[in-house]
């Protein structure tokens, strides 16, 4: 009799558990110096394939829609879903932080507020269109890559039969990238171990105690958003039970929690959406787009952390200021990259919008546990990507109703 092989999600879960245990016993310097590089190597391999994978997937997905009208309808539904759930997410984060206030006992002194250098919302929208698509590809500017890929796919649709050779080449590139990515994914359990153990080793329990309230609030709000909002959307629109949804999405959820990278989790999300019945044209379009503009978990994190920083400085945020946080988070999510640490950069923009300092002791505490919070918010982000793919496919009446 053949031995039954463990599936990838179980292997990744074992890697996660062993990584936590190793982090508790290994010296921080050893974990960072000798263990972390293996996780970094894996992420580098993923980053190597992400740009061509996203580019080819979106071109193929756009061509697979069949006509430009379907593309506009699909894109509109996807963006509306992401913007609505992001606004809802930051609201949940703010409500949680108001119900469980943290940081008031710190009593930090307000420092001079300096507006961080960054890109304005208007510039973010203008910069979506690449002046040099080749440079966008080489720089890994995901918004510009996605825009160019969509335009190329639309151009292929408009040209019809004359553009079939280019469509075939792009389709072949996509298949090669899927195969290569699948091979890299076999290393995922080892990578999870190497990524998690240094985080636990460096951020031990004694360091995390002062920030335990922030961590619990962010994780609790993230869990609430996943269970209530996504389950409601998937169950109400796609008629898929929450148990089946989370079971099929488990490998992507576990890897997102470990890697803290939405972009790196795209291959897992693709497989999960496939198992849930979303056709390739839909998932090839929605998932790469979601890895860039869906920032529900990041929005929760920013709502909680903005209120924590305000409390630490003894500042009472008004209702209008909290509404400003919701608006800023929702719009800024469009330009935030799906890579580890991007949410911390975005947080500076949110703090500036309500007159809070982006430097100083409170921000330093948040940055100290950013990697741990990043794991939670990335998990929410990719769960939302998969949920959106299933919901959009169901709304287009393209969702396969087969149970696994």
């Amino acid at each position: 009799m053949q031995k039954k092989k463990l599936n990838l999600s179980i292997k990744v879960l074992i890697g996660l558990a062993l990584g936590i245990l190793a982090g508790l016993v290994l010296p921080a310097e050893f974990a960072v110096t000798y263990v972390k590089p293996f996780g970094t190597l894996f992420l580098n391999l993923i980053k190597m394939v992400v740009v061509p994978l996203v580019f080819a997937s979106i071109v193929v997905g756009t061509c697979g829609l069949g006509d430009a009208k379907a593309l506009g309808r699909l894109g509109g539904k996807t963006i509306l879903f992401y913007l609505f759930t992001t606004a809802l997410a930051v609201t949940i984060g703010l409500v949680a932080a108001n119900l469980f206030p943290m940081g008031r006992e710190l009593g930090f002194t307000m420092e001079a507020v300096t507006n961080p250098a960054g890109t304005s919302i208007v510039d973010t929208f203008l910069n979506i269109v690449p002046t040099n698509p080749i440079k966008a590809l080489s720089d890994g500017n995901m918004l510009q890559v996605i825009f160019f890929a969509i335009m190329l796919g639309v151009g292929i649709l408009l040209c019809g039969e004359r553009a079939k050779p280019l469509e075939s080449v792009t389709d072949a590139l996509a298949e090669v990238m899927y195969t290569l990515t699948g091979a890299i994914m076999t290393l995922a359990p080892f990578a999870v171990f190497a990524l998690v153990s240094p985080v636990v080793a460096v951020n031990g329990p004694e360091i995390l105690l002062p920030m335990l309230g922030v961590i619990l609030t962010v994780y609790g709000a993230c869990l609430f958003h996943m269970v209530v909002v996504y389950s409601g959307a998937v169950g109400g629109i796609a008629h898929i039970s929450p148990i089946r949804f989370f079971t099929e999405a488990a490998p992507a959820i576990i890897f997102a929690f470990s890697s803290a990278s939405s972009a790196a989790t795209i291959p897992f999300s693709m497989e999960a959406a496939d198992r849930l019945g979303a056709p390739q044209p839909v998932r090839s379009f929605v998932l790469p787009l979601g890895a860039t503009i869906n920032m529900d978990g990041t929005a929760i994190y920013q709502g909680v952390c903005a209120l924590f920083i305000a409390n630490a400085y003894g500042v009472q945020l008004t209702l209008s200021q909290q509404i400003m946080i919701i608006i800023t988070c929702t719009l800024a999510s469009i330009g935030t990259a799906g890579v580890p640490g991007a949410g911390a950069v975005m947080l500076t923009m949110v703090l500036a919008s309500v007159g809070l300092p982006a430097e100083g002791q409170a921000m330093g505490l948040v940055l100290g546990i950013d990697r741990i919070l990043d794991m939670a918010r990335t998990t929410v982000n990719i769960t939302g990507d998969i949920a959106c793919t299933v919901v959009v496919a169901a709304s287009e009446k393209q969702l396969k109703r087969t149970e696994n």
Side-chain angles (χ1 to χ4, degrees):
M1 293 178 63
Q2 282 187 330
K3 290 184 178 180
K4 188 176 180 181
K5 292 184 178 180
L6 294 174
N7 62 39
L8 187 59
S9 62
I10 298 297
K11 291 179 180 178
V12 170
L13 190 58
I14 292 173
L16 176 64
L18 292 177
I20 293 172
L21 292 175
L24 292 173
V25 298
L26 289 176
E29 185 178 353
F30 179 89
V32 172
T33 304
Y34 297 105
V35 180
K36 186 178 179 181
F38 291 99
T40 303
L41 176 63
F42 179 80
L43 289 180
N44 287 345
L45 288 171
I46 289 294
K47 290 174 184 177
M48 176 184 73
V49 299
V50 160
V51 171
L53 174 67
V54 169
F55 173 76
S57 293
I58 289 187
V59 173
V60 171
T62 303
C63 294
L65 293 175
D67 60 80
K69 184 178 180 181
L71 173 63
R73 187 176 65 249
L74 190 66
K77 290 178 180 179
T78 301
I79 293 172
L80 282 175
F81 181 94
Y82 286 145
L83 292 181
F84 177 75
T85 56
T86 298
L88 194 57
V90 67
T91 303
I92 290 173
L94 288 170
V95 170
N98 278 292
L99 289 176
F100 306 101
M102 307 143 293
R104 291 177 180 172
E105 70 281 1
L106 295 175
F108 291 154
T109 303
M110 176 72 83
E111 301 171 12
V113 179
T114 57
N115 291 323
T119 305
S120 68
I121 298 298
V122 174
D123 287 339
T124 297
F125 281 105
L126 292 177
N127 289 335
I128 290 175
V129 182
T131 56
N132 185 342
I134 305 302
K135 187 175 186 300
L137 289 165
S138 65
D139 291 347
N141 188 320
M142 297 307 293
L143 274 179
Q144 293 187 355
V145 169
I146 287 172
F147 183 86
F148 177 61
I150 292 173
M151 290 298 99
L152 184 60
V154 170
I156 291 173
L157 285 176
L158 295 176
C159 286
E161 289 298 323
R162 290 175 297 171
K164 284 296 180 183
L166 179 57
E167 182 180 352
S168 299
V169 169
T170 311
D171 186 50
L173 174 62
E175 290 299 326
V176 170
M177 299 317 299
Y178 295 148
T179 302
L180 184 58
T181 303
I184 295 172
M185 284 304 136
T186 60
L187 302 174
F190 306 100
V192 167
F193 175 90
L195 288 165
V196 169
S197 56
V199 175
V200 177
V202 173
N203 301 288
E206 61 281 348
I207 296 176
L208 297 179
L209 283 177
M211 299 297 291
L212 187 58
V214 175
I215 295 171
L216 291 177
T217 304
V218 170
Y219 273 67
C222 285
L223 184 62
F224 179 87
H225 189 72
M226 289 171 62
V227 172
V228 175
V229 176
Y230 295 148
S231 293
V234 170
I237 300 174
H239 306 295
I240 293 177
S241 71
I243 294 176
R244 185 186 171 219
F245 173 75
F246 285 109
T247 299
E248 300 294 3
I253 290 173
I254 293 170
F255 184 75
F257 183 80
S258 305
S259 67
S261 173
S262 297
T265 314
I266 287 176
F268 286 101
S269 301
M270 290 276 191
E271 293 176 0
D274 182 28
R275 290 191 296 269
L276 287 165
Q280 183 176 348
V282 175
R283 64 179 186 266
S284 294
F285 178 85
V286 176
L287 287 172
L289 186 61
T292 300
I293 70 171
N294 177 33
M295 294 291 152
D296 289 6
T298 306
I300 290 172
Y301 151 85
Q302 286 159 354
V304 173
C305 289
L307 228 59
F308 163 76
I309 291 173
N311 290 338
Y313 289 112
V315 176
Q316 183 70 38
L317 292 181
T318 64
L319 179 61
S320 61
Q321 285 177 308
Q322 295 194 37
I323 291 174
M324 177 60 70
I325 291 175
I326 295 173
I327 295 172
T328 305
C329 284
T330 304
L331 294 179
S333 68
I334 297 173
T336 305
V339 296
V345 177
M346 186 174 160
L347 180 59
T348 62
M349 183 190 303
V350 174
L351 294 177
S353 71
V354 291
L356 291 172
E359 303 89 12
Q361 295 166 292
M363 187 64 174
L365 287 176
V366 171
L367 291 178
I369 58 168
D370 180 69
R371 183 61 170 77
I372 294 173
L373 299 180
D374 208 357
M375 295 159 76
R377 62 185 184 243
T378 302
T379 301
V380 175
N381 292 344
I382 65 92
T383 305
D385 295 345
I386 299 170
C388 180
T389 305
V390 172
V391 166
V392 170
S395 72
E396 293 286 308
K397 296 181 172 52
Q398 296 183 29
L399 190 67
K400 300 172 186 175
R401 297 292 178 181
T402 55
E403 295 281 345
N404 289 338

